[in-house]
Amino acid sequence: MTFTMKVGFRGIAPTSSSLKSRPHVLDSLYVAKFPNTTVLCPPKLRLQAKTIRASLSATMATGVTSVQEALPPALTSTSDPPSIFDGKTRLYISYTCPFAQRAWIARNCKGLEEKIELVPINLQDRPSWYKEKVYPPNKVPSLEHNNEVKGESLDLIRYIDSNFEGPSLFPEDPAKREFAEELFTYTDSFSKPVISFFKGEGTEAAAGAAFDYIETALSKFEDGPFFLGQFSLVDIAYAPFIDRFQHFALDVKKYDITAGRPKLAAWIEEMNKNEGFNKTRRDPKELVEIYKKRFSPQP
């Protein structure tokens, strides 16, 4: 990833002799060092340089830029299929599916918007060709790559991280990798009591215990606010679900999942700064309405 910063100067560049005769000018200048170059600049430019450097550091940490992607419309039963197995890499998703969102976030955080084409599917009116020609299980997400189609969200985020360029989203530290496997395994166990609580079948205490587990997990490593300290695939695995659970719990159940859980609150705050994640998010009101329909008693 290459960044270019253009700097313009006004006036006459000071010479060494003029600076010696005007020490107050030298004191007010900041030495900015670049490869093979040293530039004297005023404090205002120094502040701007610090701001740019902080912005670039945040961007490089997640592997994304602020360029907004134009999202294609979801394909329905009347839509023609793409040119399947033509050499392009495609990620089949639903804009409202948390499992598909995992793979979408991983794609964005690797900076692969131009390498992996999004193909959104309308799950309420899904095209027959998706099951017949693309992915027989008829679920999302799925990834078309190298003339094969792979599925299962947790498998796909690992595959995307391992088989494409971009910043690594999985640590080398053996202790962190071992804990990551534990957290991947826990994802279903985490969701079940929370969803049961939302349906009115389970208790608030059981749901609270699931969020307490998350709070404890976020306390294990101290080198950052994320599950493994630094941002990783584990955060991607949990983010779509915690995002939905937070809004629905507060809006419908009047239950604040962050109350008494400062680590979880800090994690949510940090995730809300992640551009790769934010590009995949829907309006919270839309997500709450989807859950209301899903969890309402059936006649």
Side-chain angles (χ1 to χ4, degrees):
M1 187 178 294
T2 302
F3 298 96
T4 302
M5 182 171 66
K6 295 182 179 180
V7 182
F9 298 92
R10 287 185 178 182
I12 301 173
T15 64
S16 299
S17 58
S18 66
L19 288 175
K20 289 179 180 178
S21 62
R22 299 161 66 191
H24 64 283
V25 174
L26 184 59
D27 290 341
S28 67
L29 295 176
Y30 168 66
V31 179
K33 295 185 178 181
F34 298 89
N36 303 318
T37 307
T38 299
V39 178
L40 296 175
C41 54
K44 184 177 180 180
L45 186 54
R46 178 185 183 182
L47 179 61
Q48 291 173 345
K50 283 187 175 181
T51 302
I52 292 171
R53 182 172 59 193
S55 176
L56 296 185
S57 297
T59 297
M60 294 173 71
T62 57
V64 297
T65 65
S66 59
V67 177
Q68 188 63 38
E69 180 180 13
L71 299 178
L75 302 181
T76 67
S77 59
T78 61
S79 302
D80 293 328
S83 300
I84 302 166
F85 301 138
D86 61 353
K88 287 187 178 180
T89 301
R90 296 182 176 89
L91 178 62
Y92 297 85
I93 64 164
S94 162
Y95 287 135
T96 58
C97 173
F99 296 96
Q101 190 179 359
R102 285 171 169 170
W104 187 5
I105 297 168
R107 163 197 183 258
N108 292 353
C109 289
K110 296 284 286 186
L112 298 170
E113 288 90 336
E114 295 183 2
K115 297 290 182 68
I116 301 179
E117 177 185 348
L118 278 187
V119 183
I121 301 292
N122 184 329
L123 297 183
Q124 282 65 52
D125 185 25
R126 70 187 76 189
S128 59
W129 51 258
Y130 181 66
K131 178 180 181 179
E132 296 167 357
K133 299 181 179 181
V134 180
Y135 192 52
N138 206 25
K139 301 186 298 182
V140 292
S142 68
L143 181 72
E144 176 189 341
H145 182 234
N146 289 341
N147 293 322
E148 294 182 347
V149 177
K150 304 177 183 296
E152 298 301 328
S153 62
L154 291 179
D155 292 337
L156 283 187
I157 62 175
R158 295 172 187 256
Y159 182 86
I160 290 171
D161 187 44
S162 300
N163 290 273
F164 293 89
E165 62 188 29
S168 174
L169 299 175
F170 206 57
E172 295 295 333
D173 185 330
K176 291 188 175 185
R177 293 175 78 94
E178 181 180 355
F179 191 51
E181 297 302 330
E182 178 182 326
L183 291 171
F184 285 141
T185 302
Y186 182 71
T187 52
D188 287 340
S189 299
F190 165 64
S191 297
K192 286 178 181 178
V194 177
I195 291 175
S196 182
F197 170 51
F198 290 167
K199 289 181 175 179
E201 300 170 355
T203 65
E204 180 178 311
F211 289 114
D212 287 341
Y213 181 97
I214 297 298
E215 178 72 12
T216 301
L218 287 166
S219 305
K220 186 173 180 65
F221 296 105
E222 298 181 353
D223 57 331
F226 301 103
F227 282 102
L228 304 182
Q230 302 302 305
F231 180 74
S232 73
L233 294 178
V234 177
D235 303 290
I236 292 174
Y238 280 89
F241 295 89
I242 292 178
D243 188 37
R244 286 163 171 76
F245 293 168
Q246 180 188 25
H247 293 300
F248 187 85
L250 194 59
D251 186 274
V252 177
K253 295 293 187 176
K254 310 305 177 187
Y255 177 76
D256 182 2
I257 69 171
T258 65
R261 302 184 182 100
K263 295 289 186 180
L264 178 56
W267 180 85
I268 290 172
E269 182 179 354
E270 289 300 316
M271 285 303 303
N272 288 341
K273 301 174 185 176
N274 185 296
E275 290 189 48
F277 172 49
N278 285 332
K279 290 177 181 179
T280 70
R281 299 173 79 182
R282 308 294 289 184
D283 185 335
K285 293 181 180 179
E286 179 185 0
L287 298 178
V288 169
E289 288 304 314
I290 290 173
Y291 268 15
K292 281 182 179 179
K293 292 178 181 179
R294 177 180 171 187
F295 300 140
S296 62
Q298 299 299 317

